[in-house]
Amino acid sequence: MESNWDGSASPFQKERKLAHVTLPRSLSEKVEGELELEVDARNVRALIRALDLRFPGIGEILSGQTAVAIDGEILSEAGIEPLSAQSEVHFLPRVGGG
Amino acid sequence: MRHIRATVDGEATEFLCDEGSTLLDALRDSLQKTGTKEGCGTGDCGACSVIFDGRLVCACLVLAAEAEGATVETVEGISKEGVLHPLQRHFLEDAALQCGICTPGFLVAAKNLLERNVDPSEEEVRFWLAGNLCRCTGYDKIIRAVLNTAAELRGESS
Amino acid sequence: MSAATGEQKFRWVGTRPVRPDGHDKVTGRARYGADFSLPGMLCGRVLRSPHAHARILKIDTAEALALEGVHAVLTGDDLPDLTSSEESSSLSAASRNIMARDKVLYHGHAVAAVAASTPEVAREALALIRVEYEVLESVLGIEEALADGAPLLDEELRTKGEEDPKPSNVAAKVMFSNGDIEVGFALADEIVEREFTTQAVHQGYIEPHACLAQMGEDGKATLWVSSQGQFAIRSMTAGILGVELSHLRVIPAEIGGGVGGKTTVYLEPLAVALSRKSGRPVKMVMSREEVFRGSGPALGTRIKVKLGATREGRLVAAQALLHYEAGGFPGSSVQAGAMTIFSSYALEHLEITGYDVVVNKPKGAAYRAPGAPMAAFATESLMDELATRLEIDPVDFRLRNAAKEGVQSAFGPRFRRIGLVETLEAIQAHPHYRAPLKPNQGRGVAVGFWFNAGLQSSASVNVNEDGTVSVVSGSPDIGGSRASLAIMAAEELGIEYEAVDVTVADTASVGFNDVTGGSRVTFATGMAVIESAREVIQQLRERAASIWDVEVDQVVWQEGRACVPDSKEIESLDLKAIADQAGETGGPITGRHSLSARGVGMGFGAHICDVQVDPETGRVEVVRYTAVQDAGRAIHPSYVEGQMQGGVAQGIGWALNEEYIYNADGELQNPGFLDYRIPVASDLPMIDTVIVEVPNDGHPYGVRGVGEVPIVAPLPAVANAVCAATGVRFTDLPLSPPRVLKGIEDAETVS
Ligand code: FES
Ligand code: FES
């Protein structure tokens, strides 16, 4: 699979990896209300980078304060977790536990 | 400072203590018998339960100086020559401990109960042990372990 | 990793052997936090604020320092100021929580600490520290905190998640929504709406916080401490003091209960700092009163819920407004409350808003399924009310709406395979559900949901020269998890359970582990042990291959032996035989694995509670209780049952008795077990348990988190039972006799 060094999709990549992303409501203003979007990325880190390009500053919030659920599975450290086409990605508040 | 002579877990023991210090302090700090625990220091949790001249007491409410000439039994004296007391065995087999901080107190208190009454009802066990707090188990398995031990001591298979 | 199937065959998984650490714990030999001592050790004590809210004008420690036997005095000035660095805002709050700087934010907030030769001298020294306060008006509840013109705990605090926020006592806002709430309620035939409140409660672990610290002149320190995670204690202590992680070794003591409350620091950085100042080892142990005043309870909540359903019993809309007290610093469990409040049900239209509110009470800490029990109390009470109004059996009503695989959760993602339906079916089938009730008795049901944390774990499995096996983990064992880890190692290796021992190692002896919390140890650390054991098996096959001079591929490991199935001549070798020759075949045989756990499995429980209410006194007694839970796979069923029974007992205490009682000045009135009454043996019946196993296919054996789910359902199960017995819907906990009596009397006056 061809892709750019940072994990973002290369324009030559055959199979597009459009992940379906849902952002927390609390970020509404920061993303001009676009809480649901399709993003082209190979893994979570690349996804956050892509979002940060679009909405500067959001990357820090997403990587610092949230957990990620990919296809229903909540991951606490998701950085290089690969995304496949049609992945459903939710950014969620982090919950601890007792 | 007072010089105290007492029998602790079957051994003749001597220790020094302040007027104000408790038997629990003496056991834990002077005699390094840390098996007896402190959960509150005010007689409310039973973690410090010991047998004092045959009576079940909270060691945190007894002055160390009162131990002069007394016989004190703690959790550390329950097993004999490396063999666990049936109560200890049942606590393990019935998973009657989780974190285990309350266990010394429960073992001492339950042993004292079974020495008085080898056929207690569930209700009697619950009331006898009502001075011992456990936050982990919900008491269910502790009560069962005590009842199973009682059955074993009576010669019934549990 | 193999996918778990219902048909997996096990030798040890599912059995109930004695735990490896059991003997030490029934003989008094196990060493807990307060059981360590060192020669020359000093006694550390904390001076705590007598005010709920005040500015510290001046602290004079000269007299205390001059006292014979006092070796060090510590105040906020001695600790680095972490406020400037943005990233470490939680660390900065932790630092200011363990030692106040310019302001005290609750009654019991630490303001100074001393290290002295004896407890008596330490106590005397505390009395000689002069603190000048400017007492401020305190904020003791959600109402007061939100009021216009309320005194502010932190003039800089603005609501995160709010547009253009002004300084206030609201630290954060969270929101979840789906569909269109107006449309949803328009579809409803029945709508119920109520506001619920719960009070601050404490985890109530029997062992007070305790530690022993020793720092050398080289700046390297060792800390013996009872906690839910030696690595978390290390990072927080080192962070607060500005010490390198490699210079701080944290040795885990046995832990006498944590329930979430021992995932953070209170005494540890102070003990290390006092040791640094005095050059002597310093031991610090909290009194029970300090535990109540100065550690982190689960604080009060106010939750408004509105539910709508059709005549046929389909939930169509749900709306919630949650306010959770955070204590003196931001960070309540409102997020988790918001995420769990409707997550047991499939809902098209929902809206959830939550606020994190600071008040002049101790900084809250995690308490078993943090945030979820209060949220369940609200939703499950209303589910009960709706079922009654719709004249549908309450379990049927829940079954009709239960979350299942593929359903979108209220917090966003779709559920993977979960076992809510199975647990509900199990309570419906249970004889308890149909057992007759006596006069003044009532029955309630409720369900509870909690996540399962994955996080990071490391473990190693070492084969000893005699063929026994030592498992090393970094996860403190609070409820028998050593037994589960030993079972998994024995299962993988095909050896006797008794041949395996498990050690919880210090921070220098095993790779990083996150805290024992979030119901994760048997799941995640268990996975690290399984993977380590698999690595050992690989090595055992290689060693056997080299002994026999065959290809590794020809060697299989089965039932604890290496063998070559195709060969008649080669006699199989057991672990002992291979271990015996380890030196000649390549050295010690050890497996090691570290992971960020994947494959968390969410957990559900369904409970039935029978109560008896004394109409004369209002006293509520739980007379029968059955808890059903999906454990995915119960590795050691006794300890799964134990988690369920313990969680239920805590939940019953929360529902019926437990609460922090404050006076008008914000002083806690009941900081002891006499007045803060947790359930005792004579308060409770046996707690019946049924383990349902809907395997989590993210784990090799199907394990789900178990420890937290059981505390979620009891609050509403008890309240629903009390409602059934009295006809009164109670919305404020605890259901203490005066409150219940008043409720009954008010209802009589009305009718
Ligand atoms: S420590 Fe003695 S009763 Fe609690
Ligand atoms: S087992 Fe933890 S308090 Fe009883």
Side-chain angles (χ1 to χ4, degrees), chain B residues 24 37-48 58 60:
Chain B
L24 181 59
K37 304 301 179 191
E38 174 161 352
C40 67
T42 52
D44 300 314
C45 77
C48 65
C58 294
C60 69

Side-chain angles (χ1 to χ4, degrees), chain C residues 56-76:
Chain C
I56 300 174
L57 302 176
K58 194 168 152 225
I59 304 182
D60 183 353
T61 60
E63 256 181 278
L65 256 177
L67 185 70
E68 166 108 25
V70 172
H71 293 253
V73 179
L74 193 77
T75 68

Side-chain angles (χ1 to χ4, degrees), chain B:
Chain B
M1 279 286 173
R2 295 269 307 261
H3 180 198
I4 304 297
R5 263 167 293 238
T7 306
V8 180
D9 291 332
E11 277 178 41
T13 309
E14 299 179 38
F15 58 86
L16 292 175
C17 67
D18 288 333
E19 289 296 332
S21 67
T22 65
L23 175 59
L24 181 59
D25 296 333
L27 287 171
R28 290 181 52 84
D29 301 336
S30 309
L31 299 174
Q32 259 86 60
K33 282 187 165 284
T34 55
T36 303
K37 304 301 179 191
E38 174 161 352
C40 67
T42 52
D44 300 314
C45 77
C48 65
S49 300
V50 297
I51 310 292
F52 189 93
D53 284 340
R55 261 184 336 118
L56 177 63
V57 298
C58 294
C60 69
L61 295 184
V62 176
L63 287 176
E66 291 179 60
E68 175 64 36
T71 301
V72 179
E73 296 163 64
T74 80
V75 67
E76 295 178 45
I78 294 182
S79 68
K80 294 282 180 263
E81 282 145 25
V83 180
L84 293 183
H85 185 278
L87 254 179
Q88 293 171 309
R89 199 161 26 76
H90 278 285
F91 264 59
L92 292 179
E93 287 167 2
D94 299 338
L97 50 141
Q98 285 178 31
C99 79
I101 194 83
C102 67
T103 309
F106 272 99
L107 287 168
V108 168
K111 180 165 175 277
N112 193 245
L113 166 66
L114 296 183
E115 280 163 5
R116 288 153 194 263
N117 176 4
V118 77
D119 192 8
S121 66
E122 180 191 329
E123 201 182 350
E124 284 171 319
V125 176
R126 286 190 181 275
F127 276 92
W128 184 268
L129 296 178
N132 291 81
L133 299 181
C134 174
R135 191 58 155 174
C136 300
T137 63
Y139 304 102
D140 184 299
K141 293 187 191 301
I142 293 176
I143 304 300
R144 285 177 207 275
V146 175
L147 291 171
N148 288 341
T149 308
E152 182 184 316
L153 293 176
R154 293 195 304 272
E156 300 160 22
S157 59
S158 57

Side-chain angles (χ1 to χ4, degrees), chain A residues 27 59-67 92-94, chain C residues 86 160 335:
Chain A
L27 294 179
E60 207 182 311
I61 302 174
L62 291 178
S63 41
Q65 299 167 13
T66 56
L92 303 166
R94 227 173 238 175
Chain C
E86 255 293 311
K160 247 190 231 162
Q335 287 185 334

Side-chain angles (χ1 to χ4, degrees), chain C residues 78-89:
Chain C
D78 296 297
L79 300 178
D81 179 23
L82 304 169
T83 40
S84 51
S85 68
E86 255 293 311
E87 295 163 292
S88 62
S89 68

Side-chain angles (χ1 to χ4, degrees), chain C residues 98-274:
Chain C
I98 62 158
M99 187 57 79
R101 306 297 154 84
D102 47 337
K103 246 182 155 188
V104 289
L105 295 168
Y106 53 92
H107 183 251
H109 200 163
V111 288
V114 301
S117 50
T118 68
E120 293 71 37
V121 177
R123 215 168 302 137
E124 228 178 296
L126 292 186
L128 293 174
I129 298 175
R130 314 259 172 247
V131 187
E132 259 178 61
Y133 295 101
E134 176 197 341
V135 179
L136 304 168
E137 200 187 326
S138 54
V139 175
L140 292 171
I142 291 162
E143 220 79 50
E144 295 96 303
L146 301 181
D148 277 339
L152 297 181
L153 270 71
D154 175 354
E155 286 80 9
E156 305 293 314
L157 187 71
R158 287 162 209 271
T159 312
K160 247 190 231 162
E162 192 91 270
E163 203 174 341
D164 217 359
K166 284 190 255 317
S168 75
N169 290 318
V170 181
K173 174 184 182 185
V174 286
M175 285 194 81
F176 296 95
S177 64
N178 227 332
D180 184 329
I181 197 73
E182 309 279 313
V183 172
F185 281 113
L187 296 170
D189 299 308
E190 282 287 354
I191 292 176
V192 290
E193 180 174 17
R194 285 182 192 273
E195 187 173 285
F196 298 83
T197 64
T198 66
Q199 301 303 316
V201 294
H202 197 273
Q203 298 84 351
Y205 33 81
I206 306 300
E207 178 200 35
H209 297 263
C211 67
L212 168 61
Q214 182 175 38
M215 187 178 249
E217 281 158 3
D218 56 358
K220 294 186 183 175
T222 308
L223 185 60
W224 289 260
V225 57
S226 131
S227 81
Q228 288 177 246
Q230 57 272 39
F231 289 91
I233 298 298
R234 181 180 68 165
S235 65
M236 296 178 85
T237 302
I240 286 170
L241 298 177
V243 172
E244 276 175 53
L245 291 179
S246 62
H247 285 182
L248 178 59
R249 179 167 166 224
V250 182
I251 300 177
E254 292 304 326
I255 168 172
V259 217
K262 290 182 185 161
T263 53
T264 185
V265 292
Y266 296 103
L267 301 174
E268 297 80 359
L270 306 181
V272 174
L274 285 169

Side-chain angles (χ1 to χ4, degrees), chain C residues 496-551:
Chain C
E496 298 300 314
Y497 169 83
E498 287 73 23
V500 182
D501 206 0
V502 181
T503 301
V504 181
D506 68 78
T507 52
S509 310
V510 65
F512 182 87
N513 277 258
D514 275 306
V515 292
T516 294
S519 314
R520 61 176 288 279
V521 172
T522 300
F523 169 77
T525 307
M527 243 195 284
V529 169
I530 290 171
E531 290 300 324
S532 302
R534 288 177 181 177
E535 194 187 316
V536 164
I537 291 170
Q538 174 61 22
Q539 289 174 27
L540 290 166
R541 289 173 53 228
E542 287 165 12
R543 303 302 174 93
S546 75
I547 292 169
W548 293 325
D549 200 14
V550 300
E551 292 297 316

